[in-house]
Amino acid sequence: MKKHTGTPNKSKKIHRSAAKKRAGGEPADVGRFYYKGNRHKQLRAFVSVVKLGTLTRAAEALFLSQPTISLQLQALERELGVSLLERRRRRINLTDAGEALYELARPLVEGWDTLDRDFQARVKGLQAGRLTIAAGTSTIQYLLPELVRRYREQHPAVQLQLANVTGKDGLALLRADEADFAVGSMLDVPNDIAWAPVQHYDPMLIMPPDHPLAAKDKITLEDISPYGLILPPQRLSTYRLVDLVFQQRQVPYHVAIEVGGWDVIKEYVAMGLGISIVTGICITAVDHARLAVRNMQQFFPQRSYGVVMRKGKFLSAEARAFIDLIRPGLLTHRDYDEPGHSGR
């Protein structure tokens, strides 16, 4: 009988050919694509763990098992040759290398997740989508109405949400990616936050027209001292700013009524229940007709209102369109992509 020697030789040639292809050529490109696909999964897992704080929450958000998330993180650390996370019982903390990677990877991962929506917005215009803006009551009531009206006229299909929050809660929304950006005033700007002031307002003393101080053109802190003030709650920046100025000048003062909302404060002042120091943003023509108003810029700093956002945030087309209404070209003049240390 003849021995069948052709098939084994042919098989060896096939294996040798496959080995050559694995060493270079087309399969190497496939390997690169596979590597990039793996890297995206690793970075997505890494960003989710940092944002959510634990492997368990990240696994739930990505619909993966916790061991899978752990393996992806280990592979990422092994490939980069650095330790990215400090694993503790209840919380995971970033190393310096992890902080650097997080600032680079987060906008990439977020951009990938919103790629389809942003592409459609660029191609078809803003025909759909969602925009969430965090802002305080005074900003929503006095600064945003005209901007919202113009935005709705130009982009009627975009679902717009105005989250009425305090400054502290607004920062929490930005860091949790539950708001695209915020509009408001800031006294202290954290390292991970970018702020572009746009409008500036003077501090104003308001009182009833028949108040004793209304007869004076120039009013000092000592003049205000005997009269009860009506101020917003202590947790808000206006109260803290008034307190700081009086403390620095060592002038005593007392708060008669603590209440939220500029409209409520103005109404109480008009009723003769006290006087108040407010930001000029809330003073209207109607207020000038029923209240005595004096500029207090000599003693209190101006309040600036503008766009607040997290550094490195990937802005959607919907968000950019609104910011362009606030001030055209605002984003081109500020380094919003600059990484900042997390304030979480």
Side-chain angles (χ1 to χ4, degrees):
M1 295 179 63
K2 293 183 179 180
K3 293 182 180 179
H4 297 282
T5 57
T7 302
N9 290 337
K10 186 176 180 181
S11 177
K12 289 179 182 178
K13 289 180 180 179
I14 291 174
H15 289 312
R16 282 196 295 269
S17 176
K20 289 180 180 179
K21 288 183 178 181
R22 282 196 297 269
E26 182 177 334
D29 293 334
V30 173
R32 283 198 293 270
F33 288 131
Y34 175 76
Y35 169 78
K36 291 178 180 179
N38 266 1
R39 175 55 55 85
H40 174 257
K41 292 178 182 177
Q42 294 166 358
L43 291 177
R44 196 159 181 254
F46 170 69
V47 169
S48 295
V49 168
V50 177
K51 286 172 63 175
L52 299 176
T54 66
L55 269 68
T56 302
R57 292 176 183 172
E60 292 173 353
L62 298 177
F63 301 100
L64 297 172
S65 66
Q66 185 173 330
T68 299
I69 295 292
S70 182
L71 288 173
Q72 289 176 341
L73 293 178
Q74 291 173 17
L76 183 61
E77 289 180 321
R78 185 169 58 252
E79 291 170 9
L80 294 178
V82 294
S83 176
L84 301 172
L85 301 168
E86 294 177 354
R87 296 163 177 82
R88 298 181 179 178
R89 283 188 178 181
R90 297 184 178 180
R91 187 79 183 177
I92 290 180
N93 295 324
L94 285 171
T95 63
D96 290 341
E99 185 79 35
L101 180 63
Y102 180 65
E103 299 297 349
L104 291 171
R106 185 169 183 170
L108 296 175
V109 171
E110 291 173 352
W112 183 267
D113 290 342
T114 60
L115 178 63
D116 289 347
R117 186 191 70 183
D118 293 332
F119 172 74
Q120 294 299 327
R122 291 286 183 91
V123 174
K124 300 179 181 179
L126 299 182
Q127 300 301 321
R130 180 184 179 89
L131 174 62
T132 300
I133 303 173
T137 301
S138 59
T139 304
I140 292 174
Q141 185 172 0
Y142 299 105
L143 186 61
L144 291 183
E146 177 60 20
L147 293 169
V148 170
R149 183 191 65 78
R150 291 165 56 193
Y151 189 80
R152 293 293 299 153
E153 286 180 353
Q154 297 178 20
H155 314 294
V158 175
Q159 183 181 352
L160 179 61
Q161 178 184 7
L162 301 178
N164 189 353
V165 293
T166 63
K168 181 179 179 181
D169 291 339
L171 291 178
L173 290 180
L174 293 179
R175 288 172 175 144
D177 275 339
E178 295 177 9
D180 294 276
F181 61 90
V183 178
S185 178
M186 296 199 75
L187 296 180
D188 302 306
V189 184
N191 290 333
D192 62 329
I193 296 297
W195 181 52
V198 177
Q199 299 286 350
H200 309 278
Y201 299 92
D202 290 339
M204 300 292 185
L205 175 69
I206 59 174
M207 53 206 146
D210 59 352
H211 193 277
L213 293 181
K216 305 186 67 169
D217 291 331
K218 294 184 179 180
I219 299 173
T220 66
L221 297 182
E222 288 76 11
D223 294 330
I224 297 173
S225 181
Y227 301 100
L229 291 173
I230 303 175
L231 293 179
Q234 294 186 33
R235 69 178 185 277
L236 300 183
S237 57
T238 298
Y239 189 110
R240 292 188 284 114
L241 187 60
V242 170
D243 177 73
L244 178 63
V245 171
F246 276 99
Q247 294 286 355
Q248 287 178 339
R249 299 291 185 113
Q250 297 183 345
V251 176
Y253 76 101
H254 70 280
V255 178
I257 302 174
E258 190 177 316
V259 63
W262 292 126
D263 278 357
V264 176
I265 290 176
K266 291 187 295 182
E267 186 63 32
Y268 280 19
V269 170
M271 292 171 60
L273 301 179
I275 62 178
S276 185
I277 299 166
V278 301
T279 304
I281 187 176
C282 73
I283 302 298
T284 65
V286 174
D287 295 325
H288 280 285
R290 66 174 182 156
L291 298 171
V293 182
R294 298 290 184 272
N295 194 310
M296 299 297 291
Q297 187 179 1
Q298 179 182 353
F299 302 100
F300 297 90
Q302 279 188 329
R303 295 294 296 275
S304 300
Y305 287 72
V307 175
V308 185
M309 59 182 295
R310 178 178 52 76
K311 289 181 179 178
K313 169 70 176 177
F314 183 87
L315 281 179
S316 66
E318 293 88 350
R320 288 182 175 275
F322 196 101
I323 292 175
D324 281 341
L325 286 178
I326 296 175
R327 176 175 291 177
L330 179 65
L331 295 182
T332 62
H333 298 298
R334 294 195 56 94
D335 193 6
Y336 281 112
D337 291 330
E338 175 190 354
H341 295 292
S342 175
R344 67 181 65 244

